[in-house]
Amino acid sequence: MKKKNIISLSIALAFLFLATTGLLLYFGLKPEFVTSIHVLLGLVFTSFAIFHIKNNWPSLKVYSKERKEGKIKKEFLVAAVVVAVFLLGAGFSLPPFAQIQHFGEDLTRGGGGRKGGRVEKTSFNEIVTNKDKQGKVIQLIIQKNAEVITPVIAIWTADTAGNFIDNIFVPAKTIEVSSGEADKRHALFEGEIETKNFTPAMMQGWQSATKDTATNYAEATPTDNFFLDTKTKAGDKFQLMMEVKDNGKTELYKGMVDLAKGNVIALKAANGSLIVRAIAELQ
C-alpha cells in the first residue's frame, strides 16, 4: 500500500463528511451526533492535511515562488488576500459575511420577507394569561422589530384617565445575553443565555401605574412574535397600555378602546421602533 494514496483518500472522505455535516450545522440542524462527527472528522482532516502538505512541500514551493528569482508569485498573493478578506469579514462580522453566516439558521427557523439582507422571522408563539379571570376576552398580536432579540414586555389596562385596572401580561422571568456577545441572536439560538426573575423596577412605566405587581405569565417574554389570549375586567371604554424594553431602550405603546366605535385597536408609540405591529381584538 502506498502511503500517499491512503492520505489522499482519507482527506477526500473526511472532506465529504465535513461538507455534509457543515451544511447541516449551517442550516441550524445541530443534534449532538452531527456536531461530534464534524469536530472529530475535522481533527482527522487536519491531521492528514498536515501529512499531505509535508509530502507535497516541494510542489507548494514551486506554486509560491519563482525558481530563479525567488520572488513570491502573484498566485500566492491572490490566495493570501482572499483568505485575509474572509478572515477579517467573518471575524468582525462585516457585511455580507454576517448575513451569509446566519442566513441558513434564519431560513430554517422560519422567515418571510427580508430586511437588510436578512430573513425576518414571522413565526408566532401562542400564550394565554388570566385564563380563570372573568371579563372581556382580548386577543393581541405582537410583532416585534427583527432587531429586537430579548424583549421584556408588560401589558395592562387603565381607565380613560390613566388609572390602573388590571394586568394583561406580566412575565415572571427575563432572558439576558452577555453584553460581551458580539452576535446576540446567535447566542440566543445556541442557548448561551441567562434567565433571571422579573422585578417591577425593570419596567418603570408599568411599576408607576400598577396596583398589582404579581406576574401572570410563568415564563419570560417570548423572543419570537406572539399571539396573546387574555381577559380584562375593564368596561366598554378603556386604554390598553404596553411597555417594551430591549437593549436599554424603553417605549410605551397605547391604544384607546371604545366598543361603541369598534372592537379592533392598534397600539402605537411616539416614534416607536421596537414593535412593528400590536393589534388587539375584543370578543
Side-chain angles (χ1 to χ4, degrees), residues 147-198:
E147 302 301 321
V148 176
I149 309 300
T150 54
V152 182
I153 296 178
I155 309 172
W156 69 99
T157 61
D159 62 24
T160 55
N163 299 310
F164 175 82
I165 298 176
D166 56 5
N167 288 320
I168 297 298
F169 176 83
V170 182
K173 300 175 182 178
T174 62
I175 295 174
E176 293 187 10
V177 177
S178 173
S179 58
E181 292 287 347
D183 189 335
K184 291 190 176 183
R185 186 182 302 280
H186 183 67
L188 178 66
F189 185 72
E190 292 291 335
E192 297 170 354
I193 58 175
E194 183 178 358
T195 302
K196 295 184 177 180
N197 291 328
F198 171 84

Side-chain angles (χ1 to χ4, degrees), residues 22-23 25-28 85-86 89-90 93-109 114-119 183 186:
L23 285 172
L25 293 172
Y26 178 69
F27 285 104
V85 168
F86 273 81
S93 298
L94 301 175
F97 295 96
Q99 288 80 1
I100 294 172
Q101 178 184 352
H102 299 296
F103 176 78
E105 290 180 1
D106 290 338
L107 186 64
T108 304
R109 282 179 284 174
R114 297 190 189 183
K115 183 174 182 180
R118 182 175 62 211
V119 176
D183 189 335
H186 183 67

Side-chain angles (χ1 to χ4, degrees), residues 1-3 5-6:
M1 292 188 293
K2 293 183 179 181
K3 185 169 65 175
N5 292 351
I6 294 174

Side-chain angles (χ1 to χ4, degrees), residues 209-230:
T210 190
K211 293 181 180 178
D212 178 9
T213 57
T215 62
N216 63 355
Y217 181 62
E219 304 298 329
T221 302
T223 55
D224 281 325
N225 310 308
F226 62 95
F227 292 109
L228 172 63
D229 274 323
T230 187

Side-chain angles (χ1 to χ4, degrees), residues 10-280:
S10 298
I11 290 175
L13 289 172
F15 174 78
L16 177 64
F17 285 103
L18 278 175
T20 302
T21 54
L23 285 172
L24 291 173
L25 293 172
Y26 178 69
F27 285 104
L29 305 174
K30 302 181 179 182
E32 186 176 352
F33 76 93
V34 172
T35 304
S36 298
I37 291 172
H38 190 77
V39 171
L40 293 175
L41 282 179
L43 294 173
V44 172
F45 183 86
T46 302
S47 300
F48 280 102
I50 292 172
F51 285 109
H52 182 74
I53 292 171
K54 181 180 178 182
N55 290 335
N56 293 275
W57 186 248
S59 298
L60 292 172
K61 288 174 67 177
V62 172
Y63 298 154
S64 304
K65 289 184 179 183
E66 299 286 354
R67 285 186 177 181
K68 295 181 179 180
E69 301 177 1
K71 292 182 179 179
I72 295 176
K73 288 186 175 181
K74 292 180 180 179
E75 291 86 344
F76 177 81
L77 293 176
V78 170
V81 169
V82 169
V83 171
V85 168
F86 273 81
L87 285 174
L88 291 172
F92 290 96
S93 298
L94 301 175
F97 295 96
Q99 288 80 1
I100 294 172
Q101 178 184 352
H102 299 296
F103 176 78
E105 290 180 1
D106 290 338
L107 186 64
T108 304
R109 282 179 284 174
R114 297 190 189 183
K115 183 174 182 180
R118 182 175 62 211
V119 176
E120 288 190 84
K121 291 195 289 185
T122 56
S123 57
F124 285 79
N125 289 334
E126 295 185 17
I127 61 178
V128 178
T129 61
N130 297 345
K131 184 177 181 179
D132 299 325
K133 178 182 284 189
Q134 299 297 316
K136 293 180 175 62
V137 174
I138 301 177
Q139 293 181 324
L140 267 159
I141 299 175
I142 308 296
Q143 183 178 355
K144 64 184 183 63
N145 188 304
E147 302 301 321
V148 176
I149 309 300
T150 54
V152 182
I153 296 178
I155 309 172
W156 69 99
T157 61
D159 62 24
T160 55
N163 299 310
F164 175 82
I165 298 176
D166 56 5
N167 288 320
I168 297 298
F169 176 83
V170 182
K173 300 175 182 178
T174 62
I175 295 174
E176 293 187 10
V177 177
S178 173
S179 58
E181 292 287 347
D183 189 335
K184 291 190 176 183
R185 186 182 302 280
H186 183 67
L188 178 66
F189 185 72
E190 292 291 335
E192 297 170 354
I193 58 175
E194 183 178 358
T195 302
K196 295 184 177 180
N197 291 328
F198 171 84
T199 60
M202 293 179 178
M203 308 295 283
Q204 295 183 358
W206 169 76
Q207 183 185 30
S208 63
T210 190
K211 293 181 180 178
D212 178 9
T213 57
T215 62
N216 63 355
Y217 181 62
E219 304 298 329
T221 302
T223 55
D224 281 325
N225 310 308
F226 62 95
F227 292 109
L228 172 63
D229 274 323
T230 187
K231 294 178 183 177
T232 179
K233 63 182 181 181
D236 291 343
K237 194 172 183 179
F238 61 94
Q239 295 185 78
L240 267 173
M241 314 288 289
M242 179 173 70
E243 186 174 10
V244 183
K245 183 177 182 180
D246 181 72
N247 200 27
K249 186 175 184 179
T250 303
E251 294 176 350
L252 184 63
Y253 292 76
K254 301 179 181 180
M256 180 62 73
V257 178
D258 187 347
L259 293 180
K261 297 180 180 180
N263 67 331
V264 178
I265 303 96
L267 281 67
K268 297 182 179 180
N271 301 317
S273 61
L274 298 178
I275 298 297
V276 174
R277 180 174 58 159
I279 299 176

